Each structure stands twice: as C-alpha cells, then as structure tokens.
Amino acid sequence: MIFIDDMGYADIHPFGDTKYPTANLDRMAAEGRRFTDFVVSSAVCSASRSALMTGCYHRRIGISGALGPKSEIGISDAETTLAEVCKSKGYATAIFGKWHLGHHPKFLPTAHGFDHYYGIPYSNDMWPLHPDFLTKRKKNPAAKSPWPKLPMISATRGEGYEIVNPDIQPADQEQMTKQFTQRAVDFIQSNADQPFFLYLPHPMVHVPLYASDDFKGKSGQGIFGDVVMEVDWSVGQIMDAIESIDAAENTLVIFTSDNGPWLSYGTHAGSAAPFREGKGTMFEGGYREPTLMWWKGKIPAGTTCDKLCSSIDLLPTVAKLIGAEVPEDASRKIDGKDIRPLMFGDENASSPHDAFYCYYSGGELHAVRNERFKLTFPHRYRTLAGRSGGDGGTPSAYEMQKSDCRCSIWTTMSQKRPTSKTSSPQSSRNCKRLPSEPVKTWATN
C-alpha cells in the first residue's frame, strides 16, 4: 500500500497532462488498472488515514481533522486495523513513513498490528519551521516557534519504541523519500518466503517540499515536479523489489493518496483538475484520488474502472483476498465493501455503494453522492475564489464561502454522535466509535 500525502487527481501522468514524467506510475497503469472514481472518507490527513486503516467512515470511529503534537487522542485499541487483519493470517507487517493516528505510545503502529515502524508521527510541517511561523518571523525576526521538534521514531512490536532523531532538519527531510523506500525494499526482500503487508505512507507531497540531490531540478517544473518524480521513483523500486523475489503474481500493489492538493500553496501544490477545489473540502477535488492497482495475472492490464469505490473498501477487500474474517459483528459496523469484482474487471461489476457520505469539519455532512448524483448541503467551505495560490512555500489566504444546497449530475464516468470528554493534558484518550447501525440516509422533498 503506497499512500501519498496531499496528491491531486491530475498530479501523475496516468491521470493528467503533467509536464514532468512519471514513468513508473505509467508502467503501473499500463500493467494494471486505473480507478477514476476512487474517493477517501475525508479530505484531510488523520481522518482519511483512520478510514483506510479501519474500513469505516472516519466519523464512526471518532477521528476528524489532522491530529497534531498537542493532540491527546488517537486510534482506539478497540478498532481492528488492516495490519491486524493481515496479522491474523500470519502476515509480516511494517509501516515506513507518516502515521498520523496518534503519537502517544499506545497509539503508535506497533500497538495496532504492525511488526515494524520507522517514520514520523504526524505531518512534516508540524515542526519549528512551520510555514505560518516562517511568515511571522519575516515580520518579527525575534519570534519563537510554537511548534515542537519533529521526531523520527523506530519501533518493533513487543519491544517498545526509540526516538532515533529527536529534531528532524531540512537535510533529513530531503532524504525521507529515499530512506523510507529503502527500508520498504529491505522489508520486501527479507520476507520473500512469507506473506507480508507493507504500508508506505510517504510524507510527500505535503509541504514543506523536499527532494534528494538526485531529483533536485530534475523535473524542470520546480520543486513540486521534482518531489513527484522522486515518489514515482519510489514506486518503481517497490515494483522491482517484488519482481526480484518472483512475487509479482501473488502481490497486490495499491497506489493512492489521503486527500487532494493543498491549493493555497500554489507552486508547491498539485492540481485536482478537472474537479472543483482541493484539500479541506468535500468537493470532488478534495477527496477523489488518483488510484492505481497492480497485480500481474489477476488485475487486467491497461484497463480503467470508472465505478465508485473508496479507501474504506480496502480492509474488507483485503480480508476476503487473504481468507481473513472481516472484523464486523452486531456491535461493530464496517462501512467498506468488497471491491474484488471491480479490481479484477468482472464484466458486470458495479459499485457496491448505493450512497457515499461526505463528512467534514468535525462531523458535518457536507454531501451525499452515488455514481451519478451528488447532493451538496449548505455549508461553509474554504476557497481561493479563483485567485492563485502562493509561491515558494508560502500559502495564499483562503476565504470562507457558503455552498448552496444543490444536486449535481455526472454524465460520465437518531443516535447522538459522541463528543470528546475533557481530560487532563497528561491523559491520552482513545477515540470513540459511533453506534453500529448504518448511517442514516437522507431525503429531500
């Protein structure tokens, strides 16, 4: 599972007319399947990742927004993660990259099904050089950053964790894509004789953008193009490693992103074209992601699926693929569906979703859609309103607007929600799950 951060729908060549090459992703598309209507649960980091890991809408398990260094909540040990599903069938499991589901020890990946973890606990901009602080410092050179140091963490299940770098610097960020990729390749090769689940959530292309010396200036399209090319290189390394152990015919590789582009960063952000808006909204540009799946001999090569499916579908689908139990019972609802027919290109396959619910902003239902219609409810949302984003890593300011209630048509392609209880800053808390009955449907006159 290769999970990119803040990648727009049109940021790679199989989905957009990029001016920089993405040869390995082109190969993945040519040998695999594109998914043009693949959506995530929410257009922001932690919420989206919680849904990927649990097969649930993020609101069901109580995680919204992006958790930060001061957050006291995280993924509950009552949830069954994708890694735990794989562990139940004897898989080796590892994550290299950005976790972002809680940084306290009980929330770290090795407490939730992963054998190995090496990475950062939250976003790479959550550090003393946060862009907002850099803007402030230009006006006041004596200003002190309110952000703590960003650590690199290494952990092994049953052995605790170690902060291997307590203060990541720009030079360290330049090496992260390569570093995480090499660890992923080593993990694949060391598990050639047993089944494995590898989760590679790259911190890029989230700002601040950093590329290694091998990719700086390589794209001719600025640092954003350089960073995408390095991510593309990483994909090639993973595919080559799988082929080197003769596992291409029994290994599924998925490439997607947590949410759309952070448009306010302009030249340091991608594009969601042809869709509206980006990260931070539940318009299509915020949560529809460029998605590729590759499995030689199983997934039909050079094909496209235009049916609605989602990151919440991956847990139940993987469970079915490996013969594991889907972690659902009378008290526990899994919102995702089995999408094997869509993956394998079955002739009469259709979307398993009669409706998909678009939650944002702490639990507001912003829209509901199916394959042809999308009903958008009145809500406030951020937008650049046609203005350009920022330059050089400094964002432009969003403005807030209100969306009307409207129904869009595509021609192509009584339970109270839990609220957080107060607790002392020293007490980290599990997030709470919504009741198990289905999310209530909607109706209009």
Side-chain angles (χ1 to χ4, degrees), residues 9-22:
Y9 187 85
D11 286 348
I12 58 176
H13 195 261
F15 289 84
D17 185 20
T18 61
K19 294 181 173 61
Y20 45 81
T22 56

Side-chain angles (χ1 to χ4, degrees), residues 419-430:
T419 56
S420 297
K421 296 181 180 179
T422 57
S423 68
S424 66
Q426 290 75 31
S427 175
S428 56
R429 294 174 285 118
N430 289 323

Side-chain angles (χ1 to χ4, degrees), residues 68-308:
K70 296 182 179 179
S71 295
E72 298 297 333
I73 64 171
I75 188 168
S76 172
D77 55 12
E79 301 301 333
T80 300
T81 68
L82 184 52
E84 289 170 317
V85 168
C86 292
K87 285 301 295 180
S88 73
K89 300 300 290 185
Y91 279 59
T93 56
I95 165 178
F96 305 110
K98 168 183 164 179
W99 175 234
H100 217 171
L101 290 176
H103 65 281
H104 295 285
K106 71 177 183 177
F107 302 135
L108 292 179
T110 47
H112 295 276
F114 287 96
D115 296 325
H116 304 287
Y117 168 48
Y118 185 91
I120 57 176
Y122 29 74
S123 294
N124 67 318
D125 67 336
M126 295 177 176
W127 66 334
L129 299 179
H130 190 282
D132 288 346
F133 169 69
L134 296 181
T135 300
K136 181 179 179 180
R137 192 170 66 178
K138 289 178 181 178
K139 300 177 182 178
N140 178 14
K144 294 185 178 180
S145 178
W147 291 90
K149 297 173 182 178
L150 176 65
M152 184 73 73
I153 300 173
S154 178
T156 300
R157 191 162 67 101
E159 298 180 10
Y161 71 97
E162 177 186 3
I163 297 177
V164 294
N165 183 349
D167 188 9
I168 290 175
Q169 297 297 309
D172 300 314
Q173 291 224 32
E174 290 177 355
Q175 299 303 314
M176 284 200 299
T177 299
K178 279 196 168 183
Q179 193 175 42
F180 296 144
T181 300
Q182 187 56 58
R183 286 178 177 268
V185 168
D186 292 344
F187 175 77
I188 291 169
Q189 293 175 340
S190 66
N191 287 282
D193 297 326
Q194 67 172 319
F196 61 84
F197 169 56
L198 168 65
Y199 179 36
L200 181 57
H202 279 300
M204 298 293 127
V205 297
H206 193 294
V207 293
L209 300 177
Y210 288 100
S212 68
D213 287 342
D214 288 344
F215 289 89
K216 287 179 183 176
K218 189 171 183 178
S219 71
Q221 300 297 317
I223 184 63
F224 186 83
D226 300 343
V227 168
V228 175
M229 286 187 66
E230 189 156 25
V231 167
D232 176 76
W233 164 84
S234 175
V235 172
Q237 294 294 296
I238 299 302
M239 295 170 70
D240 289 348
I242 291 168
E243 291 185 326
S244 75
I245 62 170
D246 296 323
E249 294 185 357
N250 62 359
T251 303
L252 168 65
V253 180
I254 300 172
F255 175 96
T256 190
S257 178
D258 64 342
N259 49 250
W262 204 344
L263 297 177
S264 63
Y265 280 89
T267 59
H268 282 213
S271 167
F275 301 113
R276 181 180 179 183
E277 298 296 343
K279 174 181 179 176
T281 78
M282 293 306 286
F283 296 109
E284 292 300 296
Y287 77 117
R288 190 187 295 213
E289 301 306 320
T291 301
L292 299 169
M293 298 190 192
W294 180 82
W295 186 352
K296 283 193 172 181
K298 293 291 183 71
I299 290 179
T303 59
T304 297
C305 174
D306 62 2
K307 306 299 183 183
L308 173 64

Side-chain angles (χ1 to χ4, degrees), residues 341-362:
L342 300 183
M343 290 170 54
F344 298 144
D346 291 1
E347 184 177 356
N348 297 317
S350 60
S351 172
H353 296 282
D354 294 328
F356 191 88
Y357 298 87
C358 302
Y359 289 99
Y360 197 73
S361 189

